[in-house]
Amino acid sequence: MKRTHHCNELRPSHIGQIVTLTGWVHSRRDLGGLIFIDIRDREGRTQTVFDPSDLPKELFEKAAALRSECVVSITGKVRQRPAGTNNSKIPTGEVEVMTQSLEVLNMAEPLPFQIDDPEAAAKVAEETRLQYRYLDLRRPEMARNLKLRSKVAIATRQFMDEQGFLEVETPTLFKSTPEGAREFLVPNRREPGTFYALPQSPQQFKQILMVGGIEKYFQLARCYRDEDLRADRQPEFTQVDIEMSFIEREDIYNLIEGLLQRVWKTALGMDIPTPFKRLRFEEALNRYGIDKPDTRFGMELVDFTEEFKASTFKVFSGAIANGGVVKALNAKGLASATQGQIETMTEYAKSFGAKGLAFIKVENGEWKSPIVKFFSDAEKAALTSKLKIEEGDLILFAADQWLNACEILGKIRLYCADVLKGQGKLTIDPNRFDFLWVVDFPLLGFDREQSRWYSSHHPFTAPVAEDISFLKTDPKRVRGQHYDVVVNGVELGGGSIRIHQPEVQKTVFEDVLQISPEETKLRFGYMLDAFKYGAPPHGGIALGFDRLIAILCNTPSIRDVIAFPKTAKGVDLMTDSPTTVSSKQLRELYLEVKAQKKE
RNA sequence: GGGGGUGUAGCUCAAUUGGUUAGAGCGCUGCCCUGUCACGGCAGAGGUUACGGGUUCGAGCCCCGCCACUCCCGCCA
């Protein structure tokens, strides 16, 4: 049965050889007196021919009984196809295998969906594809995605090894750490009422590894977060997790730029330029209204706070008087926006707490807008020159506190780009990758509801050295040594230089985050202990591996690059998990289910 | 938790304003076919219109509820 070649291997140079191919019946073309069967494996497909004139009747009938996706082993002689019958669509299209023997390894029932026609298969509902994932995975597109994923994983390991990193595995049965994402819990049979938690990331272990003298660690780590899902979020996902000792931010930038260079070369054969651009958090917000800007198109935000400070238009001047700003963006060529599109954008603005959305449509040489009558000539002139206003443009405004105004227009900028793409007025080269680092994030944010500070990244992020003195006096002003790597508006990963002095870490936990000393000891005591015994300065980063692969495969959903993903409600449609468990299992774990069963 | 979209044959989709027996392509079954490659031809089977109610003389279509999938907001240190 052993195959001699795979199904994408035979070429004219093989003519005359006796070969054995194994694989699936991709398609069968039964001409009555002559049968063609395309046999397919992971690598490709090859045409085999059944000619009754030199085959036993029984064998020919066996071939006639085959249907799509039966598993077969076919032995025969490779020959040149007759003149004029070459198939230029497939690489093996110059030759065919004259069958001498056929072994049916397994029959196949009619399929729930067809997988031989790529166009039809791509349209099948994802629900059906996930239920029969083993069939879906046979499609060349899915096979390509998994192959690319494997290649990138191996390239990553190779690169990290070359750079002197050790791959270290960390536990997936971890301790519950209530900060951050909701965790999956695992009940402990040995002690009633105690639980492990699955790690949201190996963050604490990798820092401890630095204290353990590993110096350079990496891992393709599985992480678990029990939060609501999105196209780019699964309950379990993979990170390229990295940590290094005796380094500064620049070392991480260098390393990751090299890694991504290697990955892009391996996966796409592309040379990406380094170093990547750097954008301070503040600048990213000012220009793009988001901390992960897509810089493949312009439409940048422009500030008009000075120009409207004394405006008679109170919505603007009032916002400024309250310490806010006025910002605008020019959606080039979008004056044709429909009522519905303006409505959608207004909803965005309102969801950020704005009262409405001011806009100007520039049509027929006229500014059509409910607010333009309030503008002075000087204000109009400023708008025209700073926004480079031309016929057909749509100008959108936000007047609010700085962060809010930026974020509103950031959201609207992306929406406008989508609309313009749909109208063909904006095209982006699919082979363009705009990498950049976003740096100088604020270390802390303020939660108005709970009236306390929280870590904008995580509590182990080191403050920028010259800002440490403001930790207690002016927390807002403290910048973190945190960095995000962004490509085409997607956050690929992020990390930071960590705190390695126990006193600074204690200050952050107790004075800034207001976690009580007892609580700190309970949750992070072992880390503070570890830091007492000679912790090297260290830092690291984690890249979203699934997102990385999705970008390389040019697919919007990470489900397309995960072999067995879950639905938006966390269900595996193939195995139908999660399920209830027996009362015996529950008893063993000292658990009782109190929720009412759904009918 | 909230908002939007989708759900009709195994698959992909139609079905005018609420109006006859819910159609087509692919797949499936049977027959024919010796150079096809999405083979072709003829014939046929296949439907709880996701599910449960309601309005109506009459519902795939309207209303209410509910389920699944999906996109987004919240959430994701």
Side-chain angles (χ1 to χ4, degrees):
Chain A
M1 180 175 96
K2 204 174 170 199
R3 71 178 100 179
T4 59
H5 298 77
H6 64 66
C7 293
N8 197 16
E9 201 169 355
L10 298 179
R11 298 290 183 274
S13 63
H14 296 92
I15 287 167
Q17 292 184 26
I18 305 289
V19 299
T20 299
L21 302 177
T22 53
W24 288 263
V25 172
H26 185 74
S27 77
R28 191 193 50 160
R29 295 176 294 280
D30 185 344
L31 273 59
L34 191 66
I35 300 173
F36 296 97
I37 285 177
D38 282 0
I39 179 168
R40 185 200 72 239
D41 65 14
R42 209 180 73 182
E43 305 301 327
R45 57 191 234 238
T46 303
Q47 171 165 288
T48 65
V49 191
F50 292 74
D51 187 337
S53 60
D54 52 36
L55 284 179
K57 189 172 177 228
E58 178 206 54
L59 199 164
F60 190 76
E61 279 169 2
K62 202 155 62 162
L66 289 173
R67 64 153 59 99
S68 288
E69 300 305 309
C70 291
V71 183
V72 294
S73 172
I74 290 176
T75 300
K77 196 174 202 176
V78 183
R79 73 165 193 189
Q80 178 94 49
R81 290 195 185 194
T85 63
N86 283 8
N87 183 356
S88 57
K89 289 183 201 161
I90 56 174
T92 60
E94 287 181 62
V95 298
E96 62 191 9
V97 174
M98 287 301 290
T99 306
Q100 294 169 347
S101 70
L102 160 72
E103 191 182 350
V104 180
L105 302 170
N106 224 333
M107 290 298 285
E109 289 190 11
L111 302 175
F113 60 94
Q114 287 167 257
I115 60 177
D116 55 344
D117 179 354
E119 273 181 46
K123 286 169 75 181
V124 173
E126 194 173 13
E127 202 173 342
T128 312
R129 290 172 46 204
L130 289 178
Q131 190 185 344
Y132 301 96
R133 189 60 156 181
Y134 39 87
L135 296 180
D136 193 36
L137 293 177
R138 288 184 202 165
R139 297 168 47 223
E141 289 72 19
M142 289 304 295
R144 180 201 68 143
N145 291 357
L146 291 186
K147 271 187 216 168
L148 192 142
R149 185 178 177 121
S150 170
K151 280 212 182 318
V152 172
I154 289 165
T156 299
R157 289 198 161 96
Q158 233 154 27
F159 180 84
M160 297 307 285
D161 179 55
E162 286 164 23
Q163 302 295 316
F165 283 77
L166 302 189
E167 182 170 13
V168 182
E169 290 157 279
T170 54
T172 48
L173 291 177
F174 182 44
K175 176 189 169 100
S176 174
T177 55
E179 297 270 322
R182 192 179 297 116
E183 301 166 317
F184 288 97
L185 295 176
V186 181
N188 174 24
R189 172 176 60 85
R190 292 177 183 81
E191 181 145 0
T194 63
F195 296 83
Y196 300 102
L198 303 182
Q200 307 161 25
S201 79
Q203 182 62 37
Q204 296 175 44
F205 283 112
K206 69 175 175 177
Q207 290 192 242
I208 298 281
L209 283 172
M210 294 304 102
V211 184
I214 298 297
E215 296 196 22
K216 292 178 166 186
Y217 144 92
F218 87 103
Q219 181 182 195
L220 296 188
R222 188 59 63 83
C223 308
Y224 307 85
R225 292 180 190 172
D226 186 10
E227 297 290 351
D228 288 341
L229 307 177
R230 292 281 191 282
D232 62 351
R233 279 168 21 193
Q234 283 275 303
E236 49 181 316
F237 61 99
T238 305
Q239 284 185 345
V240 181
D241 196 43
I242 294 170
E243 196 78 7
M244 299 167 80
S245 295
F246 310 114
I247 54 146
E248 293 168 346
R249 282 176 278 185
E250 294 295 330
D251 299 291
I252 295 283
Y253 302 159
N254 237 310
L255 176 78
I256 296 304
E257 285 166 7
L259 171 63
L260 292 175
Q261 218 163 23
R262 174 74 61 88
V263 164
W264 252 255
K265 187 72 183 174
T266 305
L268 304 178
M270 279 179 69
D271 293 301
I272 54 172
T274 59
F276 299 163
K277 257 190 292 183
R278 312 259 176 94
L279 216 51
R280 284 174 298 103
F281 170 81
E282 191 189 0
E283 189 185 353
L285 264 297
N286 266 326
R287 291 172 58 189
Y288 302 100
I290 192 165
D291 63 359
K292 45 175 183 178
D294 189 344
T295 56
R296 289 173 302 170
F297 58 93
M299 298 204 312
E300 291 188 20
L301 280 48
V302 179
D303 190 283
F304 287 98
T305 308
E306 273 308 310
E307 285 80 354
F308 285 103
K309 208 175 233 167
S311 178
T312 54
F313 186 45
K314 294 297 175 215
V315 175
F316 284 3
S317 53
I320 297 166
N322 275 327
V325 299
V326 172
K327 291 194 158 269
L329 78 80
N330 182 350
K332 277 258 163 246
L334 207 57
S336 57
T338 63
Q339 192 59 44
Q341 287 163 342
I342 297 278
E343 185 64 31
T344 302
M345 291 189 264
T346 306
E347 285 309 312
Y348 279 139
K350 284 182 178 168
S351 73
F352 278 90
K355 287 196 182 67
L357 179 69
F359 64 90
I360 302 171
K361 284 182 171 183
V362 184
E363 274 179 320
N364 306 324
E366 224 186 309
W367 286 18
K368 293 182 181 165
S369 164
I371 57 166
V372 78
K373 57 183 179 240
F374 299 109
F375 292 172
S376 70
D377 286 344
E379 287 163 353
K380 286 183 197 167
L383 289 170
T384 305
S385 75
K386 283 175 81 172
L387 287 165
K388 301 188 175 58
I389 295 177
E390 293 172 322
E391 173 69 19
D393 290 352
L394 173 69
I395 314 300
L396 298 140
F397 294 89
D400 205 331
Q401 296 302 304
W402 175 75
L403 187 62
N404 230 10
C406 291
E407 286 183 338
I408 289 168
L409 287 185
K411 196 92 185 158
I412 285 171
R413 173 175 176 269
L414 292 177
Y415 176 79
C416 289
D418 272 343
V419 173
L420 287 167
K421 272 185 234 165
Q423 295 179 351
K425 289 177 186 165
L426 175 66
T427 46
I428 292 174
D429 177 0
N431 288 315
R432 177 167 173 182
F433 296 98
D434 277 18
F435 291 91
L436 57 98
W437 290 102
V438 180
V439 300
D440 282 349
F441 283 81
L443 184 69
L444 301 156
F446 191 74
D447 183 336
R448 278 174 208 285
E449 278 178 29
Q450 298 187 45
S451 163
R452 65 186 195 105
W453 294 94
Y454 62 89
S455 302
S456 40
H457 182 42
H458 60 53
F460 314 112
T461 302
V464 170
E466 62 256 40
D467 293 352
I468 290 185
S469 55
F470 303 121
L471 264 180
K472 292 187 196 177
T473 54
D474 190 4
K476 192 180 176 170
R477 190 166 158 184
V478 179
R479 289 163 299 164
Q481 296 200 51
H482 171 59
Y483 32 79
D484 275 356
V485 59
V486 173
V487 60
N488 296 353
V490 176
E491 184 192 328
L492 243 192
S496 62
I497 301 299
R498 327 294 184 190
I499 298 169
H500 69 283
Q501 308 100 319
E503 326 77 70
V504 179
Q505 186 69 71
K506 215 164 167 330
T507 303
V508 168
F509 280 145
E510 294 176 6
D511 298 327
V512 181
L513 300 178
Q514 304 275 308
I515 304 173
S516 74
E518 299 75 37
E519 188 73 15
T520 301
K521 190 156 187 269
L522 211 62
R523 287 198 218 162
F524 305 108
Y526 67 98
M527 278 194 92
L528 293 174
D529 278 350
F531 287 175
K532 287 182 207 161
Y533 301 111
H538 61 284
I541 191 166
L543 305 181
F545 189 64
D546 309 281
R547 283 184 195 175
L548 173 67
I549 305 301
I551 290 164
L552 293 168
C553 291
N554 194 27
T555 172
S557 165
I558 63 171
R559 291 187 299 271
D560 286 338
V561 299
I562 295 173
F564 302 102
K566 292 172 181 60
T567 68
K569 286 201 174 156
V571 171
D572 177 345
L573 292 175
M574 187 179 73
T575 64
D576 198 27
S577 92
T579 60
T580 55
V581 296
S582 70
S583 44
K584 176 170 180 286
Q585 287 172 290
L586 288 174
R587 261 199 315 278
E588 256 179 10
L589 295 166
Y590 307 94
L591 291 178
E592 195 180 335
V593 176
K594 290 201 163 171
Q596 301 227 327
K597 263 189 194 164
K598 276 190 220 161
E599 286 306 313

